[in-house]
Amino acid sequence: MSRPAQNKALNAADILARKGTMPLVCLTAYTTPVAKLADEHCDLVLVGDSVGMVLHGLTSTLDVTMEMMTLHGRAVSRGTERALMVIDMPFGSYEESPAQAFRNAAKLMADTGAGAVKLEGGRHMADTIRFLTERGIPVMAHIGLTPQAVNAIGGYKVQGRGTDAARIQEDAKAVADAGAFSVVLEKVPAALADDITAQVPIPTVGIGASPGCDGQILVIDDMLGLFDAFKPKFVKRYAHLAADASVAIATYAAEVRARSFPAAEHVFTDQGTAP
């Protein structure tokens, strides 16, 4: 059964209007409790296809499915009230044609309550972005390093160095002209990100780009230190929750084996009124 879209305090037009003003704060989220935490502080919460790597143990985002995105999108929607919720379109769900992209984007939005979709690609996706936006689907574009194309671009390398900068600039102009309300710039040189931010009329959201972008986004499991299989250069750890959790679990295991947990305060007697 489709889930009706919720009214959010922020929408795509609000994000677009933030161009050149207060920087946009963006994080990913995949679960209701984490979405509630992010919603309190963020302008945009992304249900990223990075969920495949950080929660499902996949080695890339390429095996993420529509069903996975729908499941996590519904969970995040239950935890967001203030921020704009954007959902990633998974690999294979939009590249074939604008019509395919529209069907799947419309379904994701209807099933999850997302206020916009995000898709990867520059000039070659401009027609698809235009097709979607002309039919009422707000699109956040994603250029530079595009993880779904990792096999084609030869790995997770910085994009846009030297003469390659012109390609990224053309991609940025193309997605803006096609109607995207914002664009993620991933793993591009800072000077290039600054040039693009000055050139395009839509907000740029950096991840491994520049502090001069109109906003920043990180994978929440990276910045909280929950996902520690590897750490990209552009990630700052604001907490080390995986290490803290490991210590807590080890302490619990030791107490169970020593029979010091549960203690008297954790068990029930045959008297009293406590539930």
Side-chain angles (χ1 to χ4, degrees):
M1 180 177 180
S2 294
R3 184 185 187 284
Q6 295 180 346
N7 292 322
K8 303 292 185 182
L10 293 176
N11 57 39
D14 296 323
I15 300 299
L16 176 60
R18 290 278 293 273
K19 173 70 179 180
T21 63
M22 180 69 70
L24 295 160
V25 180
C26 314
L27 281 172
T28 65
Y30 319 109
T31 65
T32 303
V34 171
K36 288 180 178 179
L37 294 172
D39 185 64
E40 184 177 355
H41 304 284
C42 293
D43 304 299
L44 186 151
V45 173
L46 172 68
V47 188
D49 60 358
S50 49
V51 67
M53 300 177 73
V54 300
L55 290 191
H56 292 272
L58 301 176
T59 57
S60 74
T61 62
L62 298 179
D63 292 327
V64 173
T65 65
M66 284 281 290
E67 290 75 18
M68 290 167 65
M69 297 307 301
T70 299
L71 175 69
H72 291 284
R74 286 173 173 167
V76 170
S77 184
R78 297 183 193 109
T80 53
E81 295 180 355
R82 175 187 171 275
L84 171 65
M85 174 181 151
V86 179
I87 191 163
D88 262 337
M89 298 193 68
F91 179 68
S93 69
Y94 62 96
E95 297 90 341
E96 181 180 333
S97 68
Q100 179 212 29
F102 178 80
R103 286 193 301 272
N104 285 323
K107 181 169 176 54
L108 273 179
M109 291 181 69
D111 287 350
T112 66
V117 300
K118 181 170 77 66
L119 54 81
E120 297 182 5
R123 286 164 292 170
H124 68 284
M125 292 307 303
D127 288 344
T128 294
I129 293 172
R130 184 174 294 105
F131 191 90
L132 296 183
T133 57
E134 287 178 348
R135 288 157 178 78
I137 295 181
V139 176
M140 184 180 207
H142 184 154
I143 64 173
L145 174 63
T146 48
Q148 292 177 8
V150 65
N151 290 330
I153 62 179
Y156 297 93
K157 301 182 295 186
V158 175
Q159 302 292 303
R161 281 180 167 152
T163 57
D164 191 41
R167 175 178 64 89
I168 306 299
Q169 289 174 319
E170 291 170 6
D171 283 343
K173 183 179 186 302
V175 299
D177 289 347
F181 71 90
S182 60
V183 57
V184 172
L185 304 180
E186 181 167 356
K187 212 166 181 180
V188 300
L192 174 59
D194 289 341
D195 287 345
I196 291 172
T197 300
Q199 292 166 3
V200 298
I202 61 176
T204 58
V205 178
I207 178 168
S210 167
C213 290
D214 296 299
Q216 302 295 328
I217 190 167
L218 284 175
V219 172
I220 196 162
D221 296 70
D222 284 341
M223 60 87 70
L224 291 179
L226 280 168
F227 180 76
D228 57 2
F230 58 87
K231 177 182 175 295
K233 178 181 180 180
F234 55 77
V235 170
K236 178 178 179 179
R237 299 272 198 239
Y238 287 83
H240 300 276
L241 300 190
D244 292 344
S246 180
V247 171
I249 293 168
T251 302
Y252 165 72
E255 291 186 0
V256 168
R257 292 178 180 125
R259 297 190 184 277
S260 61
F261 177 84
E265 64 267 28
H266 306 122
V267 298
F268 304 95
T269 67
D270 58 0
Q271 297 178 351
T273 59

